[in-house]
PDB file of all heavy atoms in Angstrom:
ATOM      1  N   ALA A 126      34.334   5.363 -14.646  1.00  0.00           N
ATOM      2  CA  ALA A 126      34.348   6.657 -13.950  1.00  0.00           C
ATOM      3  C   ALA A 126      35.167   6.607 -12.663  1.00  0.00           C
ATOM      4  O   ALA A 126      35.861   7.571 -12.325  1.00  0.00           O
ATOM      5  CB  ALA A 126      32.922   7.101 -13.654  1.00  0.00           C
ATOM      6  N   ASP A 127      35.110   5.485 -11.934  1.00  0.00           N
ATOM      7  CA  ASP A 127      35.866   5.385 -10.681  1.00  0.00           C
ATOM      8  C   ASP A 127      37.362   5.478 -10.929  1.00  0.00           C
ATOM      9  O   ASP A 127      38.084   6.174 -10.202  1.00  0.00           O
ATOM     10  CB  ASP A 127      35.533   4.083  -9.966  1.00  0.00           C
ATOM     11  CG  ASP A 127      34.176   4.131  -9.269  1.00  0.00           C
ATOM     12  OD1 ASP A 127      33.774   5.225  -8.827  1.00  0.00           O
ATOM     13  OD2 ASP A 127      33.528   3.086  -9.176  1.00  0.00           O
ATOM     14  N   ALA A 128      37.860   4.764 -11.932  1.00  0.00           N
ATOM     15  CA  ALA A 128      39.285   4.810 -12.241  1.00  0.00           C
ATOM     16  C   ALA A 128      39.703   6.206 -12.682  1.00  0.00           C
ATOM     17  O   ALA A 128      40.780   6.703 -12.319  1.00  0.00           O
ATOM     18  CB  ALA A 128      39.610   3.782 -13.325  1.00  0.00           C
ATOM     19  N   MET A 129      38.862   6.862 -13.445  1.00  0.00           N
ATOM     20  CA  MET A 129      39.156   8.220 -13.893  1.00  0.00           C
ATOM     21  C   MET A 129      39.219   9.175 -12.702  1.00  0.00           C
ATOM     22  O   MET A 129      40.127  10.030 -12.613  1.00  0.00           O
ATOM     23  CB  MET A 129      38.078   8.682 -14.885  1.00  0.00           C
ATOM     24  CG  MET A 129      38.377  10.008 -15.563  1.00  0.00           C
ATOM     25  SD  MET A 129      37.029  10.491 -16.679  1.00  0.00           S
ATOM     26  CE  MET A 129      37.042   9.126 -17.849  1.00  0.00           C
ATOM     27  N   ALA A 130      38.285   9.021 -11.758  1.00  0.00           N
ATOM     28  CA  ALA A 130      38.288   9.870 -10.572  1.00  0.00           C
ATOM     29  C   ALA A 130      39.542   9.640  -9.746  1.00  0.00           C
ATOM     30  O   ALA A 130      40.173  10.598  -9.264  1.00  0.00           O
ATOM     31  CB  ALA A 130      37.043   9.594  -9.731  1.00  0.00           C
ATOM     32  N   LEU A 131      39.927   8.381  -9.570  1.00  0.00           N
ATOM     33  CA  LEU A 131      41.126   8.057  -8.797  1.00  0.00           C
ATOM     34  C   LEU A 131      42.365   8.673  -9.437  1.00  0.00           C
ATOM     35  O   LEU A 131      43.241   9.220  -8.752  1.00  0.00           O
ATOM     36  CB  LEU A 131      41.278   6.540  -8.684  1.00  0.00           C
ATOM     37  CG  LEU A 131      42.453   6.045  -7.836  1.00  0.00           C
ATOM     38  CD1 LEU A 131      42.311   6.517  -6.383  1.00  0.00           C
ATOM     39  CD2 LEU A 131      42.550   4.520  -7.891  1.00  0.00           C
ATOM     40  N   GLU A 132      42.432   8.611 -10.735  1.00  0.00           N
ATOM     41  CA  GLU A 132      43.575   9.175 -11.451  1.00  0.00           C
ATOM     42  C   GLU A 132      43.652  10.691 -11.255  1.00  0.00           C
ATOM     43  O   GLU A 132      44.739  11.246 -11.038  1.00  0.00           O
ATOM     44  CB  GLU A 132      43.458   8.831 -12.938  1.00  0.00           C
ATOM     45  CG  GLU A 132      44.657   9.265 -13.776  1.00  0.00           C
ATOM     46  CD  GLU A 132      44.513   8.834 -15.232  1.00  0.00           C
ATOM     47  OE1 GLU A 132      43.809   7.832 -15.492  1.00  0.00           O
ATOM     48  OE2 GLU A 132      45.096   9.505 -16.108  1.00  0.00           O
ATOM     49  N   VAL A 133      42.511  11.370 -11.326  1.00  0.00           N
ATOM     50  CA  VAL A 133      42.500  12.824 -11.137  1.00  0.00           C
ATOM     51  C   VAL A 133      42.884  13.181  -9.705  1.00  0.00           C
ATOM     52  O   VAL A 133      43.687  14.102  -9.469  1.00  0.00           O
ATOM     53  CB  VAL A 133      41.112  13.409 -11.482  1.00  0.00           C
ATOM     54  CG1 VAL A 133      41.028  14.876 -11.076  1.00  0.00           C
ATOM     55  CG2 VAL A 133      40.831  13.254 -12.965  1.00  0.00           C
ATOM     56  N   ILE A 134      42.333  12.444  -8.724  1.00  0.00           N
ATOM     57  CA  ILE A 134      42.625  12.736  -7.320  1.00  0.00           C
ATOM     58  C   ILE A 134      44.091  12.491  -6.999  1.00  0.00           C
ATOM     59  O   ILE A 134      44.749  13.298  -6.324  1.00  0.00           O
ATOM     60  CB  ILE A 134      41.702  11.908  -6.402  1.00  0.00           C
ATOM     61  CG1 ILE A 134      40.252  12.389  -6.545  1.00  0.00           C
ATOM     62  CG2 ILE A 134      42.152  11.987  -4.949  1.00  0.00           C
ATOM     63  CD1 ILE A 134      39.239  11.513  -5.849  1.00  0.00           C
ATOM     64  N   GLN A 135      44.638  11.377  -7.513  1.00  0.00           N
ATOM     65  CA  GLN A 135      46.039  11.061  -7.236  1.00  0.00           C
ATOM     66  C   GLN A 135      46.993  11.947  -8.026  1.00  0.00           C
ATOM     67  O   GLN A 135      48.172  12.052  -7.682  1.00  0.00           O
ATOM     68  CB  GLN A 135      46.319   9.587  -7.552  1.00  0.00           C
ATOM     69  CG  GLN A 135      45.632   8.626  -6.583  1.00  0.00           C
ATOM     70  CD  GLN A 135      45.911   7.170  -6.891  1.00  0.00           C
ATOM     71  OE1 GLN A 135      46.325   6.820  -8.017  1.00  0.00           O
ATOM     72  NE2 GLN A 135      45.696   6.307  -5.926  1.00  0.00           N
ATOM     73  N   GLY A 136      46.480  12.631  -9.043  1.00  0.00           N
ATOM     74  CA  GLY A 136      47.318  13.525  -9.831  1.00  0.00           C
ATOM     75  C   GLY A 136      47.770  14.744  -9.054  1.00  0.00           C
ATOM     76  O   GLY A 136      48.743  15.415  -9.435  1.00  0.00           O
ATOM     77  N   GLY A 137      47.057  15.052  -7.970  1.00  0.00           N
ATOM     78  CA  GLY A 137      47.510  16.090  -7.053  1.00  0.00           C
ATOM     79  C   GLY A 137      47.004  17.487  -7.330  1.00  0.00           C
ATOM     80  O   GLY A 137      47.110  18.358  -6.472  1.00  0.00           O
ATOM     81  N   ALA A 138      46.468  17.744  -8.504  1.00  0.00           N
ATOM     82  CA  ALA A 138      46.011  19.108  -8.834  1.00  0.00           C
ATOM     83  C   ALA A 138      44.536  19.257  -8.494  1.00  0.00           C
ATOM     84  O   ALA A 138      43.701  19.556  -9.347  1.00  0.00           O
ATOM     85  CB  ALA A 138      46.257  19.397 -10.307  1.00  0.00           C
ATOM     86  N   LEU A 139      44.200  19.071  -7.199  1.00  0.00           N
ATOM     87  CA  LEU A 139      42.791  19.022  -6.812  1.00  0.00           C
ATOM     88  C   LEU A 139      42.112  20.374  -6.841  1.00  0.00           C
ATOM     89  O   LEU A 139      40.879  20.442  -6.868  1.00  0.00           O
ATOM     90  CB  LEU A 139      42.660  18.405  -5.415  1.00  0.00           C
ATOM     91  CG  LEU A 139      42.698  16.875  -5.387  1.00  0.00           C
ATOM     92  CD1 LEU A 139      42.705  16.373  -3.962  1.00  0.00           C
ATOM     93  CD2 LEU A 139      41.520  16.288  -6.143  1.00  0.00           C
ATOM     94  N   LEU A 140      42.865  21.458  -6.810  1.00  0.00           N
ATOM     95  CA  LEU A 140      42.214  22.759  -6.856  1.00  0.00           C
ATOM     96  C   LEU A 140      41.426  22.942  -8.144  1.00  0.00           C
ATOM     97  O   LEU A 140      40.477  23.715  -8.194  1.00  0.00           O
ATOM     98  CB  LEU A 140      43.244  23.881  -6.695  1.00  0.00           C
ATOM     99  CG  LEU A 140      43.896  23.971  -5.313  1.00  0.00           C
ATOM    100  CD1 LEU A 140      44.898  25.123  -5.277  1.00  0.00           C
ATOM    101  CD2 LEU A 140      42.846  24.166  -4.218  1.00  0.00           C
ATOM    102  N   GLY A 141      41.811  22.250  -9.183  1.00  0.00           N
ATOM    103  CA  GLY A 141      41.055  22.260 -10.433  1.00  0.00           C
ATOM    104  C   GLY A 141      40.549  20.883 -10.794  1.00  0.00           C
ATOM    105  O   GLY A 141      40.264  20.600 -11.963  1.00  0.00           O
ATOM    106  N   GLY A 142      40.404  20.037  -9.777  1.00  0.00           N
ATOM    107  CA  GLY A 142      40.093  18.626 -10.027  1.00  0.00           C
ATOM    108  C   GLY A 142      38.733  18.376 -10.620  1.00  0.00           C
ATOM    109  O   GLY A 142      38.564  17.501 -11.472  1.00  0.00           O
ATOM    110  N   VAL A 143      37.722  19.123 -10.201  1.00  0.00           N
ATOM    111  CA  VAL A 143      36.374  18.915 -10.731  1.00  0.00           C
ATOM    112  C   VAL A 143      36.346  19.265 -12.217  1.00  0.00           C
ATOM    113  O   VAL A 143      35.766  18.528 -13.038  1.00  0.00           O
ATOM    114  CB  VAL A 143      35.340  19.739  -9.949  1.00  0.00           C
ATOM    115  CG1 VAL A 143      33.984  19.705 -10.640  1.00  0.00           C
ATOM    116  CG2 VAL A 143      35.213  19.222  -8.522  1.00  0.00           C
ATOM    117  N   GLN A 144      36.969  20.369 -12.581  1.00  0.00           N
ATOM    118  CA  GLN A 144      37.021  20.746 -13.996  1.00  0.00           C
ATOM    119  C   GLN A 144      37.746  19.679 -14.806  1.00  0.00           C
ATOM    120  O   GLN A 144      37.309  19.308 -15.909  1.00  0.00           O
ATOM    121  CB  GLN A 144      37.724  22.099 -14.159  1.00  0.00           C
ATOM    122  CG  GLN A 144      37.774  22.580 -15.607  1.00  0.00           C
ATOM    123  CD  GLN A 144      38.535  23.889 -15.756  1.00  0.00           C
ATOM    124  OE1 GLN A 144      38.925  24.512 -14.774  1.00  0.00           O
ATOM    125  NE2 GLN A 144      38.756  24.303 -16.990  1.00  0.00           N
ATOM    126  N   GLU A 145      38.855  19.172 -14.258  1.00  0.00           N
ATOM    127  CA  GLU A 145      39.628  18.155 -14.982  1.00  0.00           C
ATOM    128  C   GLU A 145      38.815  16.877 -15.156  1.00  0.00           C
ATOM    129  O   GLU A 145      38.785  16.285 -16.246  1.00  0.00           O
ATOM    130  CB  GLU A 145      40.929  17.861 -14.228  1.00  0.00           C
ATOM    131  CG  GLU A 145      41.794  16.769 -14.844  1.00  0.00           C
ATOM    132  CD  GLU A 145      42.339  17.128 -16.219  1.00  0.00           C
ATOM    133  OE1 GLU A 145      42.357  18.324 -16.573  1.00  0.00           O
ATOM    134  OE2 GLU A 145      42.720  16.196 -16.961  1.00  0.00           O
ATOM    135  N   PHE A 146      38.150  16.431 -14.094  1.00  0.00           N
ATOM    136  CA  PHE A 146      37.355  15.205 -14.203  1.00  0.00           C
ATOM    137  C   PHE A 146      36.239  15.367 -15.226  1.00  0.00           C
ATOM    138  O   PHE A 146      36.021  14.490 -16.069  1.00  0.00           O
ATOM    139  CB  PHE A 146      36.762  14.838 -12.839  1.00  0.00           C
ATOM    140  CG  PHE A 146      35.839  13.647 -12.893  1.00  0.00           C
ATOM    141  CD1 PHE A 146      36.335  12.359 -12.856  1.00  0.00           C
ATOM    142  CD2 PHE A 146      34.460  13.817 -13.022  1.00  0.00           C
ATOM    143  CE1 PHE A 146      35.491  11.257 -12.933  1.00  0.00           C
ATOM    144  CE2 PHE A 146      33.605  12.731 -13.103  1.00  0.00           C
ATOM    145  CZ  PHE A 146      34.126  11.447 -13.056  1.00  0.00           C
ATOM    146  N   LEU A 147      35.512  16.490 -15.149  1.00  0.00           N
ATOM    147  CA  LEU A 147      34.404  16.690 -16.084  1.00  0.00           C
ATOM    148  C   LEU A 147      34.903  16.803 -17.519  1.00  0.00           C
ATOM    149  O   LEU A 147      34.249  16.327 -18.455  1.00  0.00           O
ATOM    150  CB  LEU A 147      33.611  17.942 -15.689  1.00  0.00           C
ATOM    151  CG  LEU A 147      32.764  17.817 -14.409  1.00  0.00           C
ATOM    152  CD1 LEU A 147      32.116  19.151 -14.066  1.00  0.00           C
ATOM    153  CD2 LEU A 147      31.696  16.726 -14.557  1.00  0.00           C
ATOM    154  N   THR A 148      36.061  17.424 -17.718  1.00  0.00           N
ATOM    155  CA  THR A 148      36.625  17.528 -19.074  1.00  0.00           C
ATOM    156  C   THR A 148      36.901  16.146 -19.642  1.00  0.00           C
ATOM    157  O   THR A 148      36.550  15.836 -20.794  1.00  0.00           O
ATOM    158  CB  THR A 148      37.915  18.365 -19.036  1.00  0.00           C
ATOM    159  OG1 THR A 148      37.603  19.682 -18.587  1.00  0.00           O
ATOM    160  CG2 THR A 148      38.551  18.445 -20.419  1.00  0.00           C
ATOM    161  N   ARG A 149      37.531  15.295 -18.835  1.00  0.00           N
ATOM    162  CA  ARG A 149      37.840  13.937 -19.305  1.00  0.00           C
ATOM    163  C   ARG A 149      36.568  13.113 -19.501  1.00  0.00           C
ATOM    164  O   ARG A 149      36.407  12.440 -20.517  1.00  0.00           O
ATOM    165  CB  ARG A 149      38.751  13.241 -18.292  1.00  0.00           C
ATOM    166  CG  ARG A 149      40.127  13.857 -18.139  1.00  0.00           C
ATOM    167  CD  ARG A 149      40.979  12.947 -17.279  1.00  0.00           C
ATOM    168  NE  ARG A 149      42.246  13.565 -16.898  1.00  0.00           N
ATOM    169  CZ  ARG A 149      43.218  12.924 -16.269  1.00  0.00           C
ATOM    170  NH1 ARG A 149      43.078  11.639 -15.932  1.00  0.00           N
ATOM    171  NH2 ARG A 149      44.331  13.547 -15.953  1.00  0.00           N
ATOM    172  N   TRP A 150      35.681  13.171 -18.501  1.00  0.00           N
ATOM    173  CA  TRP A 150      34.498  12.309 -18.554  1.00  0.00           C
ATOM    174  C   TRP A 150      33.576  12.706 -19.705  1.00  0.00           C
ATOM    175  O   TRP A 150      33.078  11.855 -20.433  1.00  0.00           O
ATOM    176  CB  TRP A 150      33.755  12.407 -17.213  1.00  0.00           C
ATOM    177  CG  TRP A 150      32.642  11.408 -17.069  1.00  0.00           C
ATOM    178  CD1 TRP A 150      32.747  10.052 -17.018  1.00  0.00           C
ATOM    179  CD2 TRP A 150      31.243  11.709 -16.980  1.00  0.00           C
ATOM    180  NE1 TRP A 150      31.508   9.481 -16.893  1.00  0.00           N
ATOM    181  CE2 TRP A 150      30.569  10.475 -16.862  1.00  0.00           C
ATOM    182  CE3 TRP A 150      30.514  12.891 -16.977  1.00  0.00           C
ATOM    183  CZ2 TRP A 150      29.185  10.391 -16.739  1.00  0.00           C
ATOM    184  CZ3 TRP A 150      29.136  12.808 -16.848  1.00  0.00           C
ATOM    185  CH2 TRP A 150      28.480  11.582 -16.741  1.00  0.00           C
ATOM    186  N   CYS A 151      33.373  13.993 -19.899  1.00  0.00           N
ATOM    187  CA  CYS A 151      32.513  14.448 -20.997  1.00  0.00           C
ATOM    188  C   CYS A 151      33.169  14.161 -22.351  1.00  0.00           C
ATOM    189  O   CYS A 151      32.476  13.870 -23.333  1.00  0.00           O
ATOM    190  CB  CYS A 151      32.225  15.939 -20.868  1.00  0.00           C
ATOM    191  SG  CYS A 151      31.198  16.365 -19.435  1.00  0.00           S
ATOM    192  N   GLY A 152      34.498  14.265 -22.399  1.00  0.00           N
ATOM    193  CA  GLY A 152      35.192  13.988 -23.656  1.00  0.00           C
ATOM    194  C   GLY A 152      35.035  12.548 -24.112  1.00  0.00           C
ATOM    195  O   GLY A 152      35.138  12.259 -25.315  1.00  0.00           O
ATOM    196  N   GLN A 153      34.786  11.631 -23.182  1.00  0.00           N
ATOM    197  CA  GLN A 153      34.598  10.220 -23.524  1.00  0.00           C
ATOM    198  C   GLN A 153      33.128   9.834 -23.638  1.00  0.00           C
ATOM    199  O   GLN A 153      32.811   8.669 -23.929  1.00  0.00           O
ATOM    200  CB  GLN A 153      35.274   9.335 -22.470  1.00  0.00           C
ATOM    201  CG  GLN A 153      36.781   9.522 -22.402  1.00  0.00           C
ATOM    202  CD  GLN A 153      37.424   8.658 -21.343  1.00  0.00           C
ATOM    203  OE1 GLN A 153      36.797   7.724 -20.824  1.00  0.00           O
ATOM    204  NE2 GLN A 153      38.683   8.937 -21.014  1.00  0.00           N
ATOM    205  N   SER A 154      32.238  10.794 -23.394  1.00  0.00           N
ATOM    206  CA  SER A 154      30.807  10.476 -23.420  1.00  0.00           C
ATOM    207  C   SER A 154      30.301  10.346 -24.853  1.00  0.00           C
ATOM    208  O   SER A 154      30.645  11.158 -25.714  1.00  0.00           O
ATOM    209  CB  SER A 154      30.020  11.572 -22.698  1.00  0.00           C
ATOM    210  OG  SER A 154      28.626  11.356 -22.836  1.00  0.00           O
TER     211      SER A 154
END
Side-chain angles (χ1 to χ4, degrees):
D127 283 329
M129 188 182 299
L131 183 62
E132 185 177 334
V133 171
I134 292 171
Q135 291 180 341
L139 278 174
L140 292 180
V143 171
Q144 182 183 353
E145 177 65 18
F146 175 83
L147 289 176
T148 298
R149 295 189 189 187
W150 189 65
C151 293
Q153 297 179 14
S154 174

